[in-house]
Amino acid sequence: MFFLFVCFFWRERPLMDCVVLLPAQGGMLKATVGSAEEKDEEQEDEGEEELRDGGVPFFVNRGGLPVDEETWERMWRHVARIHPNGEALAKEIRGATDLPKIPVPSVPTYQPTTTIPQRLEAIQKYIRELQYNHTGTQFFEIKKSRPLTALMDIAKEMTREALPIKCLEAVILAIYLTNNMAGVERFPLSFKSHFSGNHFYHIVLGVHSGGRFGALGMSRREDLMFKPLEFRTLLDLVQEFEGAYRGYWHTLRKIKIGQYVSHDPHSVEQIEWKHSILDVDKMSKEELRKELERHTRDMRLKIGKPAPPSPVRDRKNSMGSPHKGPNSPIRRISRAERRPSGEKKVLEQKSSDINGYQIRV
């Protein structure tokens, strides 16, 4: 019933691909004005920016699967608020006895002769077949501070449940699906854009192999996720995303790039999400090129460094379930370890939405 509801809701929505016009919401969905810029910076440091979409928060299922009753009812109430046919749609689905059977995508498998670009395309096809999650509730809780092994456990659960996902979930899933691909290095690549007084956040998984860069991910827009393995430099890849943002009237404000992610699925190290933080709207093209070349060198230096040893004890006993166990200790990346560029941004006043509407990316 749960899976059918999610897929039925996605298929029936007349809402969006990636650019969507939504009326300004009231109540808990209303973006906070006031000191929003300071809150943006605080939430970025805490790694929680993915919990907002243009200032509009969405729910995260923190109780694991199957979904508990409280989360289940909250999701239906949220759907009733945000969907044009909310109440009627909810009654239609919940009262249906003959919902269609939804096909479950298969995790890609390869022949030994399958090339790296072909494997990456197969992974992206699988991620796309899971479909973008438009329900307003993220089904898998992704805590950036968790060790890699715990995040890989969540990725396994994604393949079992085959539910629609959002961009951060897609990054974790893409890491899991590329772990056994020797010669393919992966790194998080996130974006902060601005439109009509609001900031928007997005993240993909950058990939590097054979001297070329590309990306895997999930978005409402085709040109804000997958990039084939054909970009000669990291600058070329970043400029490709920047051009896509311009096409949606968004100004790219900030880019955060992490380090290469370990291929060991049992590694207890944390993903370094933001080794370099670049204020691109304050940088010239030459400055951006130099910063990205420096980051590329930093990533290459990490290759070959020994990773922390995996725990000797059984992981389930020592670390606990990704949903039921205690939270992993948070390791904060010091500002000295990051590579911020430019001066701290001057707080700007938010402009009003165009006719009370927002364009969401």
Side-chain angles (χ1 to χ4, degrees):
M1 175 66 177
F2 172 62
F3 183 76
L4 290 174
F5 152 67
V6 172
C7 293
F8 189 83
F9 173 69
W10 180 89
R11 198 176 60 233
E12 288 295 310
R13 95 262 180 268
L15 290 179
M16 26 184 148
D17 257 319
C18 179
V19 172
V20 176
L21 295 179
L22 276 182
Q25 303 281 346
M28 65 177 300
L29 292 179
K30 187 176 181 180
T32 304
V33 188
S35 57
E37 187 72 21
E38 292 94 326
K39 291 181 181 179
D40 276 354
E41 296 300 326
E42 291 174 5
Q43 287 175 313
E44 283 184 68
D45 288 338
E46 293 298 322
E48 296 178 355
E49 63 268 30
E50 286 77 16
L51 303 184
R52 293 167 294 129
D53 195 350
V56 179
F58 57 82
F59 293 113
V60 174
N61 170 34
R62 302 187 188 279
L65 297 171
V67 175
D68 59 51
E69 186 68 20
E70 181 181 353
T71 303
W72 178 247
E73 293 300 328
R74 183 186 67 186
M75 182 162 57
W76 281 108
R77 291 193 300 271
H78 184 62
V79 167
R81 282 194 300 267
I82 66 173
H83 198 281
N85 303 318
E87 290 290 348
L89 179 70
K91 291 179 180 179
E92 179 185 356
I93 299 175
R94 302 191 81 168
T97 57
D98 57 346
L99 289 174
K101 185 177 181 180
I102 305 298
V104 177
S106 299
V107 177
T109 57
Y110 321 102
Q111 298 295 326
T113 56
T114 306
T115 65
I116 293 298
Q118 290 172 334
R119 295 185 183 204
L120 294 177
E121 288 182 11
I123 290 172
Q124 182 62 47
K125 181 175 181 291
Y126 172 74
I127 292 174
R128 189 181 285 111
E129 287 175 346
L130 292 178
Q131 304 176 356
Y132 189 89
N133 180 357
H134 294 282
T135 67
T137 297
Q138 180 176 302
F139 301 125
F140 303 94
E141 183 181 14
I142 307 296
K143 292 184 177 180
K144 288 184 172 182
S145 58
R146 293 191 68 85
L148 184 60
T149 181
L151 295 175
M152 294 303 94
D153 286 341
I154 297 175
K156 291 178 188 176
E157 190 173 16
M158 291 184 206
T159 62
R160 289 194 301 268
E161 301 293 341
L163 293 170
I165 56 177
K166 296 176 80 69
C167 61
L168 182 57
E169 295 163 296
V171 167
I172 300 303
L173 182 57
I175 292 173
Y176 173 72
L177 295 174
T178 54
N179 271 338
N180 61 353
M181 295 173 63
V184 177
E185 300 300 337
R186 301 81 43 83
F187 58 95
L189 176 61
S190 59
F191 305 94
K192 177 181 180 180
S193 63
H194 180 266
F195 174 79
S196 187
N198 283 309
H199 288 107
F200 298 77
Y201 300 87
H202 182 49
I203 186 168
V204 297
L205 183 68
V207 293
H208 180 255
S209 179
R212 292 292 186 268
F213 288 90
L216 299 168
M218 175 63 84
S219 172
R220 300 181 187 91
R221 278 297 185 190
E222 197 71 22
D223 50 0
L224 286 176
M225 44 181 179
F226 177 66
K227 301 297 178 183
L229 203 62
E230 60 183 29
F231 297 91
R232 190 176 59 85
T233 66
L234 186 54
L235 175 63
D236 294 336
L237 178 63
V238 166
Q239 289 180 329
E240 173 71 13
F241 277 103
E242 186 176 19
Y245 272 106
R246 284 198 304 270
Y248 305 123
W249 306 285
H250 279 235
T251 301
L252 195 57
R253 289 291 178 84
K254 185 178 291 187
I255 298 174
K256 291 181 287 186
I257 317 171
Q259 277 279 23
Y260 284 156
V261 179
S262 169
H263 281 264
D264 178 9
H266 306 301
S267 171
V268 296
E269 65 178 308
Q270 294 174 325
I271 296 174
E272 188 172 351
W273 296 94
K274 39 190 176 182
H275 182 77
S276 296
I277 304 176
L278 310 178
D279 292 324
V280 294
D281 59 336
K282 295 182 177 180
M283 303 173 67
S284 67
K285 183 176 180 180
E286 181 63 19
E287 290 172 331
L288 179 61
R289 182 188 65 80
K290 289 181 179 179
E291 287 293 334
L292 292 175
E293 286 181 352
R294 180 171 64 173
H295 183 86
T296 302
R297 289 194 298 269
D298 288 348
M299 290 195 297
R300 288 172 182 163
L301 289 174
K302 185 180 179 181
I303 299 179
K305 287 187 177 181
S310 297
V312 178
R313 299 178 183 177
D314 182 84
R315 288 189 294 112
K316 290 185 178 179
N317 294 332
S318 61
M319 299 184 64
S321 163
H323 293 298
K324 298 179 181 179
N327 293 337
S328 301
I330 297 177
R331 171 186 175 271
R332 295 191 180 278
I333 301 174
S334 67
R335 297 193 178 275
E337 294 180 52
R338 304 176 187 170
R339 293 194 182 279
S341 65
E343 300 176 359
K344 190 176 174 89
K345 304 178 86 170
V346 179
L347 302 184
E348 59 183 49
Q349 294 182 346
K350 288 196 169 189
S351 60
S352 59
D353 295 341
I354 298 178
N355 297 326
Y357 285 77
Q358 303 172 7
I359 288 189
R360 301 173 60 200
V361 174

